[in-house]
Amino acid sequence: MGESPRIGNSVGADVMRGVAILMVVVYHAFGSFYGWHLPWDGWLRNFSEPRSETLVWFYPVSFGWAGVSLFFTISGFCIHYSYLRAGKFDPGQFYWRRFWRIYPAYLISLVLFAILFGYSHLTYKGMSQILSHAFFIHNFGSEGFFAINPSFWSIATEVQLYLLFPVLLFIRGRLGISATLVILFIVACGWRIIAISNWGLPEHPIDWVWTFPLMTWFDWSLGALVAERSFQGRRAFKNPGLWLPASLLLFVLSTFYKPLTVFSFTLAALASAVALDASLYVRWKSWWAWGLVFIGTISYSLYLWHQPLIPYLINRLKTISGSSFVAWIGLVPLLLVGGWVSFQIFEKPAVAIGHRLRRSRRRADS
């Protein structure tokens, strides 16, 4: 069977989750002040007349959005591996656990940011945004995609991928995981054809059209492939020393040529799947790895709150310290403290409530 993965304690996945949230936080922090990407000159990136000279010097930071691809891959891995360990799919239990893990903390963040940014329930626009976010459908159009909290789009997409999970299991049960991925890739390419025909090429891969569930379903399922192979005691990518640099190179090149950006998110997911697969075989003992495990543990709370708070925190820290350097150095520790507090007072209690209610219901039924 070969080398066995060390996934009993999910250290590799937690480390990768920590990497993903740091990529996203740094990207949002940098982009809020210096720009999100370089402009296009026809079908190529324009480096001669950049929107921000700083963005040119720190251009790798602009790839931080790929942390979302990594998040999707990790999610597909964790969800599918849990199913494989259980040996069956219980829809009631699955969606019950997902609800209490995601929704209470999300709803609190949604309500507070809606109030903070003036989305009044007394207006049609405000109420439509609040309700579309509450029901995770705001990512089905440009008007709601970045509304209230721009980071919320990926949570909606994630929930929609949970709803598609039984379909993935149905196809996999009849054709196997490899054929399932082929089918999902064909579906994703079909959506790309529809998208290009109706909306043209994207200015940036993070857009409602280019992160639609029918496209990102394949990306999420790459994590399921890693889970399947790991459960069998095999590597999903037998030569990561070749797969990882090759997939990273293709990802970077795709971002320079506009027609290829329709595959950028998927190429980032492929590189993420290779990295995740390799991480399962690493003995994580260093202090920084366990620091990433901690950050990965609070990553959901950190994700819920960080983006709208970044400009406010940077400006406040600049005012207090009188130094931009101090403000940037102090940003991440403040966000980590806030994420830990949210994890302790919102996430953990909600999950505990869900467990207690589930046990009470089982006792009542027995």
Side-chain angles (χ1 to χ4, degrees):
M1 297 290 286
E3 185 181 6
S4 298
R6 302 178 180 90
I7 55 180
N9 52 11
S10 302
V11 175
D14 287 336
V15 168
M16 290 294 103
R17 195 179 285 113
V19 171
I21 190 60
L22 289 179
M23 289 174 63
V24 171
V25 167
V26 172
Y27 170 68
H28 286 155
F30 195 86
S32 297
F33 290 91
Y34 300 107
W36 304 103
H37 59 85
L38 293 176
W40 293 103
D41 182 9
W43 282 0
L44 300 174
R45 291 288 182 192
N46 188 343
F47 284 87
S48 60
E49 296 180 8
R51 296 173 181 172
S52 169
E53 183 177 346
T54 305
L55 183 57
V56 174
W57 287 104
F58 294 93
Y59 192 69
V61 176
S62 69
F63 297 135
W65 60 264
V68 181
S69 295
L70 179 53
F71 270 130
F72 281 7
T73 306
I74 295 169
S75 174
F77 168 79
C78 293
I79 295 298
H80 193 61
Y81 195 80
S82 294
Y83 157 76
L84 293 171
R85 283 195 302 182
K88 63 177 182 178
F89 180 67
D90 183 340
Q93 181 178 353
F94 175 75
Y95 291 114
W96 179 266
R97 293 179 64 182
R98 292 293 89 202
F99 174 86
W100 289 102
R101 174 69 178 83
I102 291 174
Y103 201 71
Y106 170 81
L107 186 62
I108 292 168
S109 179
L110 169 62
V111 170
L112 289 179
F113 282 128
I115 294 172
L116 180 63
F117 296 122
Y119 288 87
S120 173
H121 66 283
L122 300 177
T123 66
Y124 172 79
K125 181 179 180 180
M127 179 54 73
S128 64
Q129 288 289 0
I130 292 171
L131 288 178
S132 66
H133 280 72
F135 288 98
F136 297 115
I137 57 174
H138 61 278
N139 63 321
F140 287 161
S142 58
E143 184 176 352
F145 190 76
F146 285 136
I148 301 183
N149 181 339
S151 294
F152 282 170
W153 73 264
S154 64
I155 300 174
T157 304
E158 184 80 33
V159 169
Q160 291 148 18
L161 293 172
Y162 293 157
L163 295 175
L164 288 170
F165 184 55
V167 181
L168 183 149
L169 291 180
F170 176 82
I171 302 172
R172 172 223 174 236
R174 283 151 181 78
L175 301 176
I177 190 66
S178 297
T180 299
L181 281 170
V182 172
I183 291 172
L184 297 187
F185 183 73
I186 293 171
V187 170
C189 288
W191 174 255
R192 285 178 172 90
I193 294 172
I194 294 171
I196 293 173
S197 300
N198 286 275
W199 298 283
L201 294 172
E203 291 298 312
H204 192 271
I206 303 301
D207 177 86
W208 81 270
V209 175
W210 304 104
T211 57
F212 198 72
L214 290 180
M215 195 179 84
T216 52
W217 194 10
F218 170 80
D219 310 330
W220 189 90
S221 299
L222 285 170
L225 171 67
V226 175
E228 187 103 5
R229 295 293 180 256
S230 298
F231 189 76
Q232 296 166 353
R234 297 190 289 152
R235 286 181 179 269
F237 302 91
K238 295 182 180 180
N239 191 352
L242 176 62
W243 273 99
L244 188 57
S247 57
L248 286 173
L249 178 61
L250 289 173
F251 160 65
V252 172
L253 291 177
S254 74
T255 66
F256 292 131
Y257 185 58
K258 197 171 187 179
L260 293 182
T261 55
V262 299
F263 291 100
S264 292
F265 198 96
T266 293
L267 288 169
L270 175 61
S272 298
V274 177
L276 174 62
D277 186 50
S279 75
L280 303 178
Y281 298 85
V282 175
R283 296 185 182 274
W284 300 102
K285 293 184 177 181
S286 58
W287 63 268
W288 59 265
W290 290 103
L292 286 173
V293 169
F294 166 74
I295 295 172
T297 301
I298 65 170
S299 60
Y300 180 58
S301 279
L302 190 54
Y303 192 83
L304 285 175
W305 297 96
H306 78 281
Q307 189 169 3
L309 294 180
I310 283 173
Y312 172 79
L313 290 175
I314 287 288
N315 290 326
R316 289 296 298 168
L317 288 170
K318 281 183 181 179
T319 301
I320 294 171
S321 66
S323 168
S324 296
F325 178 77
V326 171
W328 282 99
I329 292 297
L331 175 65
V332 171
L334 277 179
L335 290 175
L336 291 178
V337 170
W340 180 81
V341 170
S342 174
F343 177 76
Q344 294 294 332
I345 66 176
F346 298 139
E347 275 194 72
K348 287 180 66 176
V351 172
I353 290 171
H355 285 323
R356 285 198 296 270
L357 291 175
R358 186 78 176 176
R359 287 196 300 267
S360 298
R361 183 177 177 180
R362 285 175 176 174
R363 286 196 295 267
D365 293 339
S366 61

